Amino acid sequence: MAGTSTATESAAADSDTVSVSVGDRVESVATVTISRPDARNALNAELREDLVAVFEAIGDDDAVRVVVLTGDDESGAFVAGADVTELRERDALEQREASERPRVFEHVEDCPKPTIARVNGHALGGGLELAMACDVRIAAEGGKIGQPEINLGIIPGGGGTQRLPRLVGTGQAMKLICSGELVDAAAAADLGIVEEAYPAEELDDRVYDLAGSMAEKSPVALEFAKTAVKASERMDLETGIDYEAELFAQLFATADKDEGIDAFLEDREPEWKGR
C-alpha cells in the first residue's frame, strides 16, 4: 500500500497541523502525526478539526486496518495540552458549545479501527485525554504524563475524569487530577495509564510490531473485537456477555470467518476479504 494515496492521506493533504501516511512502516497501518512544533502540539481549534476530518476518513478507508496516533518528534511531545490562550478567551456559554459532542476525543474513541497512541513525549491535559481515547497506549520513557488542569483553576474537560478512573481506579485518578501531579512514562505504565513504556530508541519497533500483528487480522473481526471490548466499559457483565455472543454469531455470516478457518485447517496464511 506504500506509495498509494488513500482517502485518509487525502483528508490531511491540505492540513498544516496533521500529516498521514499509510503503509510506510507496516502494510495497512496509518500513522497520523500531529505537528504544531512551536506550540508543543497543543490542541487548538484547527488541529481538532483536522484530526476529526482524518478520523472520519479512516473509518471509511478500506486501506487502513490499524491507526497509530503520535506527535512529531520535532515537537518533543505527544500533545502538551489544550491551547490555553483559546481557553482564556471563552466564557461559559462558548465553552458549552465547544464541548458539544462528538468532539475529537469521541471521534478517536469511536473509530472502528484499533488505535495505538505512540506517546513520544509529554501527554498532558487534553493530550492525555486524546491518548486515553485511543485503544492502546505505548510511551517513550522520559515523557511526563498527567492532568494538570487543576493548576489553572479548571478540571479535565475532554473525558479525563471519566476515562482515567477506568484505567487506574478512583483513588489514583483523584490523586492525579486533584493534585495536578505529573508522572513519568515508566510510572504511568506501572499505574496502567499506558500499557507499556520503552526507551525512545525502541519505541517504534514495539509500536509497529504491535500494529502489524493487529493489521494481519481480518478487518471485520478487528472491528467486532473493538466493539465488544469497548462495550465492556458501558454494560454490566451479563448484558456484555450476551452482546459478545451476538457479535460472535454475526461473524459466522462473513467470508472472513470461513477463510480464517480454512486457512488454519490447510496450514496457510489467510487472505482476508474484509467482509
Side-chain angles (χ1 to χ4, degrees), residues 27 32 42 102 108 135 140 150 162 191 194 197 204 216 244:
E27 186 175 354
V32 179
V108 172
D135 301 317
I150 200 79
Q162 305 304 304
L191 287 169
V194 302
D204 278 345
E216 292 173 352
E244 175 194 79

Side-chain angles (χ1 to χ4, degrees), residues 193-239:
I193 302 174
V194 302
E195 277 62 56
E196 300 171 2
Y198 287 88
E201 63 271 17
E202 299 177 17
L203 182 64
D204 278 345
D205 285 345
R206 176 54 182 149
V207 167
Y208 287 101
D209 281 350
L210 178 60
S213 71
M214 293 179 177
E216 292 173 352
K217 309 305 189 290
S218 158
V220 183
L222 284 174
E223 181 176 351
F224 277 44
K226 175 169 179 171
T227 299
V229 173
K230 286 292 186 182
S232 71
E233 300 174 346
R234 301 177 175 94
M235 296 178 177
D236 62 72
L237 180 60
E238 292 300 317
T239 304

Side-chain angles (χ1 to χ4, degrees), residues 91-100:
D91 60 24
L93 289 176
E94 291 168 333
Q95 185 54 52
R96 284 193 182 96
E97 182 178 352
S99 294
E100 289 181 357

